[in-house]
Amino acid sequence: MSTATLTPPAPAAPRSAGPRRRRRLLAVASPLTLMLLWELLSRFDVVDSRVLPPPTAVLVRIGELTAGGDLLPHVEATVVRFAAGLSLGVVAGTLVGLTMGLFATPRAILSPIIAMIYPLPRIAMFPLILIIVGFNERANILEITLAPFFTMAISTMGAVLAIDPVYRDVARSFETGTRDLYLRVTLPATLPAIMGSLRVSVGLALMSTTAVEFLAASSGLGYLIWHAWQILSLKDCLAGMVVAGILGSVAYLAVGVLDRWLVPWQRRT
């Protein structure tokens, strides 16, 4: 009687670094191409350089504002407001979303309220916030918090409801406590959706930050952009926009690093 020889499966071939290197090259090349196109359009008077100064002139102006000490205070003010509003909105929205997804009673109470408030423009709610909280920095941060809060709450609730109910049933059969139900069962299952919503929330929080600084601040990149436009200093206006774009890109990349760390099983080639 013969016995079959069991051979271990061949190890998987290592993934080529070529596609990853190509994507990184494209990620760098695409903004540089856009900047080059902008430069050429301004230099050859396809667009009026007085209205749209070339990026080299804008970069020179950024250097002048930085050297003169005029830019960094605005950047610092925007970063503080942006980080505070984003953090509060993400944490509160995720917690509310998890609660609404796990328990029917909070979902029945909060869903109509969120459905009523969510479609309203965030900036339209700012006067009410100013009346309630006062004309101060807390009102600014609360306004910034609203955008990521609703995005995280709605997305997280949907992710929880999409979990196969058998996982919660098994957890309850083992008499899992509420804390473990949140942290050990539901949160890991919804992390991919939460991280995707966080990417969206970064942009929404930065837009809310600049909008608030347009209206109710005497510092920040939004204030710099709006003040420069009022006095028709278009180089300063574009300088503030470019720095705000760089800030958003850095925040977006940081979320990508956090995503790869927290959700390694979702890592893509």
Side-chain angles (χ1 to χ4, degrees):
M1 184 176 180
S2 61
T3 59
T5 303
L6 299 178
T7 58
R15 292 171 178 167
S16 173
R20 186 181 308 168
R21 189 179 300 113
R22 190 181 308 115
R23 286 194 297 271
R24 289 177 179 173
L25 180 61
L26 289 173
V28 174
S30 57
L32 290 179
T33 302
L34 180 61
M35 297 283 282
L36 177 60
L37 179 61
W38 174 9
E39 181 78 23
L40 293 175
L41 290 175
S42 295
R43 292 294 180 186
F44 289 97
D45 292 327
V46 178
V47 296
D48 193 339
S49 59
R50 293 171 298 178
V51 176
L52 189 66
T56 50
V58 175
L59 293 176
V60 168
R61 184 56 183 157
I62 291 174
E64 292 173 351
L65 290 172
T66 303
D70 297 323
L71 181 62
L72 292 183
H74 292 297
V75 174
E76 181 181 359
T78 295
V79 168
V80 170
R81 294 187 184 107
F82 168 66
L86 179 65
S87 301
L88 290 173
V90 167
V91 172
T94 301
L95 181 59
V96 169
L98 290 172
T99 303
M100 292 172 62
L102 283 172
F103 305 106
T105 300
R107 185 162 63 249
I109 295 172
L110 296 175
S111 288
I113 299 174
I114 290 179
M116 179 176 61
I117 298 177
Y118 177 68
L120 297 176
R122 303 291 168 266
I123 203 66
M125 301 173 63
F126 195 34
L128 181 61
I129 292 174
L130 290 174
I131 293 173
I132 296 173
V133 180
F135 201 91
N136 52 44
E137 198 63 33
R138 288 177 298 174
N140 295 341
I141 293 175
L142 180 58
E143 170 66 20
I144 298 166
T145 299
L146 291 178
F149 171 80
F150 285 107
T151 301
M152 297 303 299
I154 294 172
S155 300
T156 304
M157 180 187 69
V160 175
L161 293 176
I163 299 174
D164 193 330
V166 69
Y167 293 106
R168 291 196 294 271
D169 294 340
V170 170
R172 291 190 179 101
S173 69
F174 282 97
E175 299 182 353
T176 302
T178 302
R179 180 173 177 272
D180 287 337
L181 184 62
Y182 273 89
L183 298 180
R184 298 175 65 88
V185 178
T186 309
L187 186 59
T190 57
L191 263 180
I194 290 174
M195 295 308 300
S197 301
L198 180 56
R199 291 176 184 269
V200 177
S201 296
V202 165
L204 294 175
L206 186 56
M207 285 190 291
S208 295
T209 303
T210 52
V212 163
E213 291 172 347
F214 276 14
L215 299 174
S218 57
S219 63
L221 293 173
Y223 169 80
L224 174 64
I225 294 168
W226 183 249
H227 179 69
W229 179 85
Q230 287 179 315
I231 61 175
L232 294 180
S233 178
L234 298 181
K235 284 185 182 179
D236 287 2
C237 185
L238 286 171
M241 292 172 63
V242 169
V243 174
I246 293 172
L247 174 60
S249 298
V250 170
Y252 193 84
L253 291 174
V255 172
V257 173
L258 185 64
D259 187 9
R260 289 192 294 272
W261 179 57
L262 291 178
V263 197
W265 61 89
Q266 290 285 325
R267 187 171 298 171
R268 294 169 176 82
T269 58

